[in-house]
Amino acid sequence: MISVRYVTQSKGIQTGDASLIDAWRQNGGWLWIDIEQAINDSTSALLKSFDCHELAIKDVARDRHPPKVEWFEDHTFIIFRGLTELGDNLHFKPLQLSLFVGAGYLVSIHTRPSLSVNQHRERGDLVKLLSQPQRLALSLLHTSAGLFLEALLSFDSELIRIEDEMLAQGNDQLLKDLIRCRSQLRKMQRNFSYHEALSKELIDLWDHPEITNDLTHRLRDLYDRCERLESLSAQQYEICGDLVDGYFSLTSHELNNTMRILTVVTSIFVPLSFLAGLYGMNFDNIPELHAPNGYFILLGVMGILAAGMIGIFKAKRWF
């Protein structure tokens, strides 16, 4: 699906299909082409009509290309990792969002619905943003990063809940949730590391140190947000790792306590079993076999032996 938004000072914003591209070429103005489908011959020809480089088009066609920025003579090419779905507890589905930003136009390409693109289609300030395509591109990236940031900030409270439950009564389900979240955070951290470098490259490409304007602030804000995302995801990843290690430590400690009790019980009953087995042998010449009080004497010795060993173990605080 290809949707086009064409903005002119006289008519404002017009929404339609690829036919608006010819009007833009003839009359000027600002153009936003949003392509929500895989690259095919027709979309490839459309991109080539904007002088998009063949290698850049191949990068767009790849489903899992790392985020990056490339500068060409008359446009900038950006690959960003966005979102097509975002749920609670870091349940998310990533999306490759590719942007071609040129003089008077922006082309966005994604194979599935993009949350940040959907939020911008009906924005009240879209005309103002599109009047400078670089601002619209930064707004798309900023919104996508903001969605990630909201997910990480809300996960802070979830981490506190998991930690409290684990200390109170840990279970295997909590461990599974932690390992899943840790895996998601690792993926986020890798993406945010790319995004931080990407935003820094955009500052080098688009920022003019001698001029402080709205674009400068947007570039700095995007870099700050990506830097915060990278550090926050790294911090939460380490916390999840500490909680997993803590769960295994608690489980190991409980297992050690159980084994210690079993060892104490075994140590008490080993000599008693030995005595019972010794005097249970069927030989006629066993000493004390015919003693009148032999049974009670043996029970007394076994009782004293067991009580003495229990006393020793208690003194050593083994249980």
Side-chain angles (χ1 to χ4, degrees):
M1 181 182 69
I2 300 177
S3 62
V4 180
R5 283 162 176 78
Y6 175 43
V7 175
T8 58
Q9 292 181 348
S10 58
K11 296 183 179 181
I13 187 168
Q14 303 175 57
T15 303
D17 54 19
S19 61
L20 291 174
I21 299 176
D22 294 332
W24 172 76
R25 294 186 191 278
Q26 295 174 5
N27 304 318
W30 302 277
L31 192 69
W32 177 21
I33 304 173
D34 183 54
I35 303 174
E36 189 180 314
Q37 62 185 44
I39 294 296
N40 53 33
D41 292 339
S42 61
T43 53
S44 179
L46 175 62
L47 293 175
K48 288 179 180 179
S49 70
F50 283 87
D51 295 327
C52 297
H53 199 279
E54 182 179 355
L55 293 178
I57 297 175
K58 289 183 179 180
D59 289 342
V60 173
R62 291 177 56 186
D63 188 44
R64 293 177 56 83
H65 197 288
K68 70 170 186 176
V69 176
E70 283 191 68
W71 181 80
F72 296 94
E73 184 176 352
D74 55 354
H75 65 273
T76 305
F77 174 53
I78 303 171
I79 295 181
F80 195 83
R81 189 71 65 184
L83 284 167
T84 186
E85 185 178 320
L86 180 63
D88 297 330
N89 298 337
L90 302 183
H91 286 280
F92 71 95
K93 291 184 180 179
L95 170 76
Q96 179 172 301
L97 179 60
S98 304
L99 304 175
F100 290 93
V101 188
Y105 71 89
L106 169 67
V107 181
S108 58
I109 309 167
H110 45 98
T111 56
R112 300 185 304 278
S114 168
L115 295 180
S116 60
V117 170
N118 291 342
Q119 289 187 16
H120 280 75
R121 282 175 176 166
E122 305 301 330
R123 278 187 56 159
D125 60 343
L126 182 59
V127 174
K128 182 179 179 181
L129 288 174
L130 192 51
S131 63
Q132 190 176 5
Q134 292 175 332
R135 291 174 59 187
L136 178 56
L138 289 177
S139 184
L140 289 171
L141 304 185
H142 191 273
T143 300
S144 183
L147 293 172
F148 277 116
L149 184 59
E150 290 178 7
L152 289 178
L153 292 177
S154 63
F155 185 62
D156 271 338
S157 59
E158 181 66 15
L159 269 180
I160 295 173
R161 182 192 66 81
I162 292 176
E163 184 175 6
D164 292 340
E165 287 189 13
M166 182 168 291
L167 292 175
Q169 187 177 5
N171 55 64
D172 291 342
Q173 186 58 47
L174 280 177
L175 180 62
K176 290 179 182 179
D177 291 340
L178 272 176
I179 292 176
R180 182 193 61 79
C181 292
R182 191 183 186 198
S183 175
Q184 295 290 77
L185 285 167
R186 184 59 179 167
K187 295 175 185 176
M188 284 185 170
Q189 186 181 0
R190 182 171 61 249
N191 286 334
F192 299 151
S193 178
Y194 282 121
H195 290 169
E196 184 180 358
L198 181 150
S199 57
K200 190 174 186 304
E201 288 186 47
L202 285 177
I203 291 176
D204 295 336
L205 287 173
W206 288 353
D207 191 22
H208 302 284
E210 67 277 3
I211 303 175
T212 301
N213 52 27
D214 181 67
L215 187 63
T216 298
H217 297 304
R218 290 177 183 271
L219 285 166
R220 299 293 177 180
D221 192 42
L222 177 63
Y223 175 77
D224 292 341
R225 176 161 288 190
C226 291
E227 185 180 35
R228 186 184 181 191
L229 284 171
E230 200 278 332
S231 61
L232 187 58
S233 60
Q235 180 186 29
Q236 292 185 350
Y237 176 80
E238 292 177 0
I239 292 174
C240 284
D242 292 341
L243 290 177
V244 170
D245 294 340
Y247 176 82
F248 285 127
S249 297
L250 289 174
T251 304
S252 177
H253 180 68
E254 292 174 358
L255 180 61
N256 289 339
N257 287 336
T258 302
M259 293 302 297
R260 183 170 58 184
I261 293 174
L262 292 175
T263 302
V264 168
V265 172
T266 303
S267 300
I268 293 173
F269 278 92
V270 163
L272 302 184
S273 300
F274 170 75
L275 292 176
L278 181 65
Y279 284 95
M281 293 187 293
N282 294 319
F283 294 104
D284 290 334
N285 295 321
I286 295 178
E288 299 92 24
L289 181 62
H290 300 288
N293 298 319
Y295 172 74
F296 300 102
I297 293 172
L298 181 59
L299 285 181
V301 171
M302 293 171 69
I304 293 171
L305 184 61
M309 294 185 69
I310 291 174
I312 292 173
F313 291 145
K314 278 188 172 292
K316 292 182 174 292
R317 298 181 179 178
W318 286 5
F319 72 95

